[in-house]
Amino acid sequence: KTTTTASSSSNNSSKEDAQLLAQHIQNQHKKAQAQANAGFTTKAMRDLEKLKKTNVYSHTQLAIQFADSTIVKGNFLPQETIRQVMDALQSDVLTETFSFELYQTPPRRLLPPDQTLQALGLVPAAKVYVSWKTSAPPAAAAKEYIRPELLLTVDTKKEPAKPTSVPVVQTGNGDPSANSDKKPEAATAPNKRKKATKAEKEANLLKRMLGK
């Protein structure tokens, strides 16, 4: 009878120990999950704050300076590459086919042709320089390497359109023009736009992030 009582007490004690251990493990697991979730939440919040400060620009304005200090200005899309800028110079500005490259300074940084203007930090505006790969064109002194019709418009003081921006994430009262560099003219129209659905907002946000 005495032995039976001792065995029963021992079994009860083992069960209690097992329950305490299981409860401790569950509490540790819950604590670890809570910390992990808190970490994810913090990262999401940081990403959201970063998006709130990010603007999607309509275009970027490049001031392209040649070796003789001649400057031409042009507007390009943020997702266009340096190669596309060089092609535009060759087809729309230069009178002949010249071998050149684009760079920034200081310090001197050669701009890779396959990189986008956005990736190189040339948005919303930047100044870049032309470097002739060989010797300067023979007509450089007389600016005959530039199409004459462009030189005739130098003194008109007509500047390319300035870039405008739209915030990736709307803040405040939800009006995107509140954070943009310039309020769009459509904001003064008498007809109110239909409120976008959640799905439409998500689609628009995705397009802005992809630069479409």
Side-chain angles (χ1 to χ4, degrees):
K1 188 174 182 179
T2 304
T3 303
T4 302
T5 303
S7 177
S8 177
S9 299
S10 177
N11 289 337
N12 290 337
S13 178
S14 297
K15 288 181 181 180
E16 290 178 357
D17 290 343
Q19 290 175 351
L20 288 175
L21 180 60
Q23 185 176 3
H24 175 72
I25 293 175
Q26 289 178 356
N27 290 337
Q28 292 287 47
H29 180 66
K30 289 180 180 179
K31 185 177 180 181
Q33 277 189 329
Q35 290 177 346
N37 291 336
F40 285 132
T41 302
T42 302
K43 182 179 183 302
M45 292 175 65
R46 288 198 301 267
D47 291 343
L48 181 60
E49 287 300 320
K50 184 177 179 179
L51 285 175
K52 286 181 179 180
K53 298 177 181 179
T54 302
N55 287 333
V56 177
Y57 288 90
S58 58
H59 60 273
T60 183
Q61 186 174 110
L62 294 184
I64 304 170
Q65 181 170 319
F66 291 86
D68 60 358
S69 298
T70 298
I71 296 177
V72 295
K73 292 183 179 181
N75 293 337
F76 299 87
L77 296 177
Q79 296 306 316
E80 289 190 277
T81 63
I82 292 297
R83 170 59 62 193
Q84 288 174 295
V85 174
M86 294 171 67
D87 289 344
L89 282 175
Q90 189 67 73
S91 62
D92 301 331
V93 177
L94 302 178
T95 56
E96 301 177 26
T97 300
F98 298 108
S99 180
F100 64 93
E101 56 191 9
L102 299 179
Y103 69 95
Q104 279 194 306
T105 188
R108 185 185 175 91
R109 177 180 66 138
L110 186 64
L111 302 176
D114 60 338
Q115 292 290 308
T116 66
L117 303 180
Q118 181 81 51
L120 292 171
L122 303 179
V123 179
K127 185 176 183 179
V128 299
Y129 298 84
V130 174
S131 174
W132 306 116
K133 284 189 175 181
T134 56
S135 58
K143 291 186 173 59
E144 293 180 2
Y145 64 92
I146 294 181
R147 294 181 182 276
E149 61 268 25
L150 297 179
L151 295 175
L152 291 176
T153 60
V154 169
D155 297 329
T156 60
K157 297 182 179 180
K158 290 184 178 180
E159 294 287 336
K162 299 294 184 181
T164 58
S165 66
V166 177
V168 173
V169 178
Q170 298 182 8
T171 58
N173 59 3
D175 183 3
S177 62
N179 294 331
S180 62
D181 294 339
K182 181 180 179 181
K183 292 184 179 180
E185 296 179 0
T188 60
N191 296 327
K192 294 184 178 179
R193 296 179 62 184
K194 184 179 179 181
K195 187 175 181 181
T197 63
K198 183 178 180 181
E200 291 173 340
K201 289 180 179 179
E202 292 177 352
N204 291 334
L205 175 60
L206 181 59
K207 288 181 180 180
R208 289 175 182 172
M209 292 178 69
L210 293 176
K212 295 182 177 180

